[in-house]
Amino acid sequence: MQANSHEVRFSLPSLEVAAKVWGDADGLPVIGLHGWLDNAATFDRLAPHLSGIHLVALDLPGHGLSGHMPAAGYSLWQQAATVLQVAESLGWKRFALLGHSMGAIISGILAGSLPDRVMGACLIDGLLPFTSEAEEAPRQMARFFDASLALADKRKPVYDSVAKAVDARARGGNTALSHEAAALLVERGLMPEHGGWTWRTDPQLMLPSPMRLTSEHAAAFIEAIQSPVCLVLANQGVMHKHPQVVERIERFAHITRHDIDGGHHLHLEEQAEEIATIFDSFFAKLA
């Protein structure tokens, strides 16, 4: 696929969603979904190595160049509903998904809920959401209320140079990545502020979820998937840090799994071409 992408905008009922597009319009229709606090540039290194697909990679609401949702508007199912609205705008009754991390979780929810719409999914280091059981719901909701009240007093960091923002993103805690990879995400994720630069990201995305699915709920979505799924797990990524989650994934016989050395954003690193080879084979079977 060509290295260059072009920009599109979708004017949805509640907000505008931005996207990057790769490939010819007659290719296999694929919607790309990035991870939490990332944006459509997450596929900048992977997409040029893919072939035969028409990839529309979204900035999910609250991220990148897309608009922000109303208060408490960032549940997984609300994000999934936005993806479906984009598919409707494109006239795609059947489509495949390409998701990383949170985007992979949203893909699983869509594929399990609408098997007649989703023809297949390629997922990167993500599948099951963080869960909590019913008895934990009041405590989880209290965390959300406390954080919501405190949000008004918080201010986004302002960097006096783009280079400092890139450095901050590269060091990003449990999901650290190379400066080259961070620069791709930062370019789409910054805006001018008081003579410097700050994040476009909606601060509400930092709030804890008011309600989480139970482990039974989460598994039910994955078990309901009828289309093929190709899952790449990063050996040094997020999911392998939770052996109980990986063990649960092994029980889903309808998911083809590939384990590759690399961190959580390995598709933005040197492993991009290796992952593209795996996904190319998968997408070719769907076409």
Side-chain angles (χ1 to χ4, degrees):
M1 195 153 61
Q2 74 268 24
N4 295 329
S5 63
H6 66 270
E7 295 281 336
V8 297
R9 296 288 187 275
F10 298 96
S11 296
L12 304 182
S14 58
L15 80 170
E16 183 176 80
V17 169
K20 300 185 72 171
V21 179
W22 285 269
D24 296 328
D26 58 355
L28 180 79
V30 180
I31 297 178
L33 306 175
H34 59 78
W36 181 60
L37 302 184
D38 291 343
N39 54 60
T42 197
F43 299 116
D44 276 10
R45 293 194 69 180
L46 179 65
H49 296 294
L50 297 171
S51 59
I53 69 171
H54 183 208
L55 174 61
V56 178
L58 308 184
D59 287 335
L60 288 165
H63 299 78
L65 304 179
S66 287
H68 295 181
M69 297 283 274
Y74 292 105
S75 68
L76 292 171
W77 43 92
Q78 286 169 308
Q79 295 280 30
T82 298
V83 176
L84 194 59
Q85 287 177 332
V86 169
E88 290 289 292
S89 296
L90 290 164
W92 291 358
K93 296 304 179 185
R94 294 268 291 164
F95 54 91
L97 294 163
L98 170 61
H100 169 243
S101 192
M102 179 186 73
I105 295 169
I106 294 169
S107 297
I109 289 173
L110 278 168
S113 302
L114 301 171
D116 57 325
R117 300 289 302 266
V118 179
M119 62 178 68
C122 284
L123 311 179
I124 304 167
D125 214 39
L127 179 64
L128 293 164
F130 288 111
T131 61
S132 61
E133 300 314 305
E135 62 271 16
E136 298 169 4
R139 191 180 310 113
Q140 181 68 25
M141 189 68 75
R143 291 180 60 233
F144 169 75
F145 288 146
D146 289 343
S148 297
L149 292 174
L151 191 63
D153 296 325
K154 291 188 176 181
R155 295 292 180 267
K156 293 182 182 181
V158 177
Y159 306 96
D160 58 19
S161 70
V162 172
K164 288 184 178 179
V166 170
D167 185 62
R169 184 64 185 85
R171 291 184 284 104
N174 294 330
T175 59
L177 62 166
S178 70
H179 273 73
E180 181 183 4
L184 294 172
L185 296 174
V186 167
E187 181 181 0
R188 197 173 181 86
L190 285 181
M191 64 181 182
E193 178 81 5
H194 299 307
W197 301 90
T198 193
W199 306 113
R200 292 181 180 274
T201 310
D202 189 340
Q204 289 189 96
L205 289 165
M206 303 298 291
L207 295 174
S209 301
M211 188 72 72
R212 286 178 171 176
L213 299 176
T214 67
S215 57
E216 289 79 10
H217 283 144
F221 281 102
I222 307 307
E223 289 167 353
I225 297 174
Q226 298 177 19
S227 55
V229 175
C230 179
L231 172 64
V232 167
L233 289 185
N235 286 335
Q236 292 76 42
V238 170
M239 297 193 71
H240 268 297
K241 293 179 181 178
H242 303 278
Q244 72 279 12
V245 175
V246 176
E247 182 182 349
R248 293 191 73 189
I249 292 173
E250 292 173 350
R251 302 174 191 170
F252 299 123
H254 57 304
I255 296 176
T256 303
R257 175 178 147 195
H258 303 264
D259 293 72
I260 298 178
D261 281 339
H264 186 54
H265 287 82
L266 75 173
H267 62 296
L268 258 178
E269 307 284 4
E270 61 185 17
Q271 297 91 342
E273 193 166 355
E274 179 182 0
I275 296 170
T277 299
I278 295 170
F279 288 171
D280 261 353
S281 176
F282 177 86
F283 284 135
K285 293 176 183 176
L286 297 182

